[in-house]
Amino acid sequence: MIRRCALVLAAAFLALPAAAQDSYPSRTITMTVPFAAGGPTDTVARLVAEAMGRDLKQTVVIENVGGAGGTLGAARVALAKPDGYAILMHHIGMGTTPTLYRRLSYDPVNGFETVGLVTEVPMTVIARKNIGANTLAELTALMKREGTKINLANAGIGAASHLCGLLWQNAIATQVTTVPYRGTAPAMTDLVGGTVDVMCDQTTNTTEQIKAGSVRAFAVTTKDRLAALPDLPTVHEAGLPGMEVSIWHGIYTPRGTPAAINERLSSALRTALKDPHVVARFAELGTAPVADAMAMPKAHRDYWMADIAKWRPVIQEAGQYAD
């Protein structure tokens, strides 16, 4: 009788992890955004987190942990308990970090499980409104002529605006002075104020400034024009096809997070990306949710691995590494 009771208790104990997974989530989930509040990744994260929370029937709170090109926030999630309550919203920087950074406190590839892609955001080439150029060709000529006298703002090493800046300088075969900030919001503030000259950033952060006339826009970095900015030419139309790039976002959990939890988060993500408010707001910001097939763990990982391979030679050629 004693042996039977012991076996029953042992079985019940072993079943606890599965039961815990079945009840997931039972409390608030923290979504870390590795950039400052008010930036493009933060904007995407807040829209998606609110919609995911409704499907999960738990609050998904945003925690901004900026600095070091997104690696501080990424490290926090990579080193967190793999129970589904610490998740990461990150952008294309996940594809460049493995090459860009030589020393990190976490494994930038094997430290994470993938949940799903969220959106691919176009970039815009913008400048202070009194820059003295009206077309991208004129802006290119100005940058070639002035060289390092031109200040190119970005949100920090490894940020989307930094990566676009690398492509931009490569496309025009000209080096300018790079001015890194601790986030997109302060960089945009200085661009609007005329302290810096040019920037290449995501439509989620620039569309409203462009429409308000606070900055001068020259092109969008996609093959097709955007419905939100129909008068803005593409970089191909403007004569710089080598600048075509979009900034993808995805959700991650710490390595070792159970597959059932990742799938539950992925399911909530796919539901969130169909939410009418999310779809409409994304459209206003010049982007759209990814298709269902891309908002799944395996598709996300495959896309991520391909992007690491794509960016490695670009970063190596530029020689811009972060310690």
Side-chain angles (χ1 to χ4, degrees):
M1 181 69 177
I2 293 175
R3 183 180 179 184
R4 175 184 289 181
C5 290
L7 290 172
V8 169
L9 287 172
F13 178 79
L14 291 173
L16 281 176
Q21 292 175 36
D22 289 342
S23 64
Y24 174 85
S26 60
R27 55 186 172 86
T28 297
I29 297 168
T30 298
M31 177 183 286
T32 295
V33 174
F35 302 104
T41 302
D42 181 70
T43 299
V44 170
R46 290 180 188 277
L47 284 168
V48 172
E50 183 178 359
M52 285 181 68
R54 287 193 291 271
D55 184 76
L56 293 165
K57 295 180 173 55
Q58 290 290 341
T59 301
V60 180
V61 298
I62 299 297
E63 182 178 27
N64 296 95
V65 182
T71 60
L72 296 183
R76 177 170 297 193
V77 175
L79 302 175
K81 185 177 180 181
D83 57 6
Y85 292 99
I87 66 178
L88 173 71
M89 170 77 82
H90 207 328
H91 62 32
I92 194 174
M94 288 292 282
T96 60
T97 293
T99 306
L100 193 61
Y101 290 86
R102 295 168 175 172
R103 291 189 296 272
L104 291 170
S105 63
Y106 66 100
D107 188 324
V109 177
N110 298 313
F112 300 95
E113 307 287 352
T114 48
V115 171
L117 292 173
V118 178
T119 184
E120 288 192 73
V121 183
M123 306 287 282
T124 49
V125 177
I126 58 176
R128 53 182 171 83
K129 58 185 179 181
N130 61 343
I131 190 66
N134 295 309
T135 67
L136 187 56
E138 291 178 0
L139 181 61
T140 297
L142 176 66
M143 293 172 72
K144 283 179 171 289
R145 185 170 64 251
E146 298 294 329
T148 55
K149 293 181 180 179
I150 296 293
N151 293 319
L152 170 63
N154 67 49
I157 299 297
S161 48
H162 170 235
L163 301 174
C164 190
L166 291 181
L167 284 180
W168 190 356
Q169 293 174 83
N170 189 30
I172 65 175
T174 300
Q175 292 294 313
V176 297
T177 298
T178 297
V179 183
Y181 286 79
R182 292 181 61 85
T184 301
M188 179 62 77
T189 297
D190 274 6
L191 186 71
V192 171
T195 304
V196 289
D197 302 309
V198 294
M199 186 162 69
C200 180
D201 208 353
Q202 301 169 69
T203 56
T204 44
N205 190 59
T206 64
T207 299
E208 292 179 357
Q209 298 285 2
I210 292 169
K211 289 182 175 179
S214 303
V215 297
R216 183 168 295 178
F218 293 88
V220 61
T221 65
T222 50
K223 293 182 179 179
D224 301 309
R225 293 196 182 201
L226 303 178
L229 299 166
D231 297 327
L232 192 61
T234 68
V235 285
H236 182 82
E237 291 172 330
L240 282 179
M243 273 194 68
E244 290 173 353
V245 63
S246 61
I247 304 301
W248 53 271
H249 293 77
I251 296 177
Y252 305 79
T253 57
R255 187 73 169 184
T257 300
I261 288 178
N262 283 324
E263 179 49 45
R264 180 66 189 96
L265 287 167
S266 179
S267 175
L269 171 62
R270 296 193 297 274
T271 298
L273 295 181
K274 297 183 185 74
D275 182 281
H277 175 67
V278 172
V279 173
R281 185 68 180 128
F282 272 15
E284 291 173 359
L285 297 170
T287 187
V290 299
D292 255 18
M294 298 304 293
M296 295 184 178
K298 185 180 184 305
H300 178 185
R301 178 163 286 275
D302 290 346
Y303 189 97
W304 177 25
M305 294 302 105
D307 214 54
I308 291 174
K310 168 186 169 183
W311 280 97
R312 184 175 292 117
V314 175
I315 294 169
Q316 290 173 338
E317 182 179 345
Q320 292 192 16
Y321 298 100
D323 292 326

